[in-house]
Amino acid sequence: MELTERQKDILKTAILIIANQGYEKLTTKNLATQIGVTEAALYRHFKSKRDLVTTILGYFEELSNKVLQEIRGANYSPLESIRHFVEDRYILFSKHPNLAKVMFSEELFKNDPTFKGQFQCIMHKHKQAVENYILQAQQEGKIRNDLSPTQLFRIIVGSMRFTVTQWNLSDCAFDLKKEGSDLLETIMKLIETKQ
């Protein structure tokens, strides 16, 4: 996704508005005021509010695809792949707390089925990739094979979502990367085979 610098500025401001004021407050008038341009100027960069939010989701998807490509390009074991994916999410959200608020906001997705479908597609890619790493690790005897890959995915990603939500609600009061890494290690101790 090629964005101009102005489009990136608009996206960042839109993410800030959604994260701190809610989706309903993302209006062209509010956005234009925050950026310091006319509403007409916004339409030169994005056709509509829907187009803008679709682009935000596309931006998040691009970041997600990038880490999945990194993992594919590296020679990671399945366990290292799981760790890399999860730790990358914590690093991403640490750097972009407002993006975390938007991605974990159900308000955004209940307003438009298009957004919901786009986000479900992103989640499905994550689920497919992580479940595949889990399955490979089970086949190698590294993760207990009496556990469902789908349930393990939900434990890993669900606990991440909960941790990021706690972090956001506490106004980033703790080190998300460290807390996330510690949590992941706890989960891995529970699911790895004892050798």
Side-chain angles (χ1 to χ4, degrees):
M1 171 185 307
E2 287 296 318
L3 296 173
T4 66
E5 287 306 311
R6 186 46 131 175
Q7 285 175 315
K8 289 176 189 175
D9 290 341
I10 294 168
L11 276 185
K12 286 177 189 169
T13 305
I15 289 168
L16 182 70
I17 291 169
I18 297 169
N20 296 310
Q21 300 174 39
Y23 175 74
E24 294 303 320
K25 293 292 184 182
L26 179 65
T27 62
T28 52
K29 182 178 181 178
N30 195 1
L31 184 57
T33 301
Q34 292 271 337
I35 296 172
V37 298
T38 64
E39 288 183 66
L42 287 177
Y43 289 112
R44 284 189 224 125
H45 301 284
F46 294 99
K47 293 179 270 187
S48 63
K49 179 177 172 177
R50 173 184 267 193
D51 182 39
L52 179 60
V53 174
T54 299
T55 304
I56 291 169
L57 292 171
Y59 170 69
F60 179 69
E61 182 174 16
E62 190 175 278
L63 293 173
S64 296
N65 289 341
K66 190 175 174 182
V67 71
L68 293 174
Q69 287 170 354
E70 262 177 46
I71 292 169
R72 278 193 294 272
N75 197 21
Y76 293 142
S77 71
L79 288 178
E80 290 169 330
S81 296
I82 294 167
R83 280 189 172 90
H84 187 78
F85 176 79
V86 172
E87 289 177 354
D88 179 82
R89 301 293 81 189
Y90 285 121
I91 291 167
L92 171 68
F93 293 136
S94 291
K95 288 180 184 174
H96 306 281
N98 289 321
L99 181 62
K101 287 179 186 176
V102 171
M103 290 300 103
F104 291 153
S105 164
E106 293 182 21
E107 175 195 15
L108 180 65
F109 306 109
K110 71 180 179 186
N111 285 302
D112 190 315
T114 305
F115 305 152
K116 181 178 176 183
Q118 189 177 357
F119 192 66
Q120 282 178 321
C121 182
I122 296 166
M123 283 193 323
H124 181 71
K125 282 183 188 174
H126 292 177
K127 180 178 180 288
Q128 202 171 30
V130 175
E131 278 187 16
N132 189 42
Y133 304 143
I134 291 167
L135 198 54
Q136 289 173 17
Q138 286 176 323
Q139 290 167 350
E140 291 178 4
K142 302 291 184 183
I143 290 180
R144 292 174 43 193
N145 63 10
D146 61 330
L147 302 172
S148 156
T150 298
Q151 296 304 325
L152 291 177
F153 168 79
R154 288 179 179 148
I155 289 167
I156 293 166
V157 175
S159 63
M160 178 197 318
R161 183 181 178 119
F162 181 78
T163 304
V164 172
T165 300
Q166 276 187 318
W167 179 69
N168 277 325
L169 291 173
S170 74
D171 293 325
C172 310
F174 57 87
D175 183 335
L176 180 62
K177 291 185 283 188
K178 182 184 181 329
E179 195 68 28
S181 184
D182 290 348
L183 176 60
L184 179 60
E185 284 312 306
T186 299
I187 292 169
M188 296 310 263
K189 284 177 186 173
L190 294 171
I191 68 174
E192 284 184 47
T193 54
K194 307 292 183 244
Q195 296 184 1

